[in-house]
Amino acid sequence: AMAEVVDKLGLLPDVTREENGAPTPDSQARLEALGRAMAGTISVSGKERTPHLDLIEVRYTGPDPRVGARLVDQVKNTYIERTQKRIRALLENKKSWYVTRLTEGAQRLTGAQKDLSIL
């Protein structure tokens, strides 16, 4: 995750990329190395976790306050983006279940409407 944060902040401006936009293996290794180094300046703690809410606290303890605010914001944004992707994947995997329930409900409604018309 920290390599992703470093990449999004543009802390390594000479990152080379594949055609699909992903960093090349060498660039990815450099991003990961810098991410590991910066991880020591960040602490993330969970304050509250419920089924509908994650409340986290991100603190920067490094020497450069100019980088700190941007780094904290990007760590939070990356956490949110990854959580959204995880939820989206979960819901997409459940789509067939919901479609089946919708189809069954529509059939029951159609049957009830026919019965009502008969009455």
Side-chain angles (χ1 to χ4, degrees):
M2 284 302 291
E4 186 177 334
V5 168
V6 167
D7 189 23
K8 287 182 178 178
L9 285 175
L11 296 178
L12 290 177
D14 59 340
V15 170
T16 55
R17 299 190 180 278
E18 304 282 352
E19 285 185 25
N20 65 1
T24 61
D26 288 342
S27 290
Q28 183 64 34
R30 291 178 47 233
L31 288 167
E32 289 173 5
L34 183 56
R36 278 191 301 277
M38 296 193 83
T41 65
I42 291 284
S43 68
V44 180
S45 58
K47 294 294 184 185
E48 183 178 345
R49 187 169 225 168
T50 67
H52 307 290
L53 172 74
D54 286 354
L55 182 60
I56 64 168
E57 180 178 71
V58 181
R59 289 185 182 207
Y60 174 73
T61 57
D64 189 350
R66 292 173 297 149
V67 171
R70 291 177 49 225
L71 186 62
V72 167
D73 284 345
Q74 191 56 56
V75 167
K76 290 187 293 186
N77 291 339
T78 300
Y79 181 85
I80 291 166
E81 288 168 8
R82 285 177 167 226
T83 301
Q84 287 173 332
K85 286 178 186 174
R86 191 178 75 240
I87 291 169
R88 181 179 197 84
L90 176 73
L91 291 175
E92 286 175 350
N93 287 337
K94 301 283 184 187
K95 183 178 179 180
S96 64
W97 183 85
Y98 286 106
V99 169
T100 302
R101 299 292 92 63
L102 180 62
T103 303
E104 291 171 354
Q107 289 171 349
R108 282 195 310 272
L109 178 61
T110 301
Q113 287 173 334
K114 285 180 182 177
D115 291 344
L116 183 60
S117 294
I118 292 171
L119 288 175

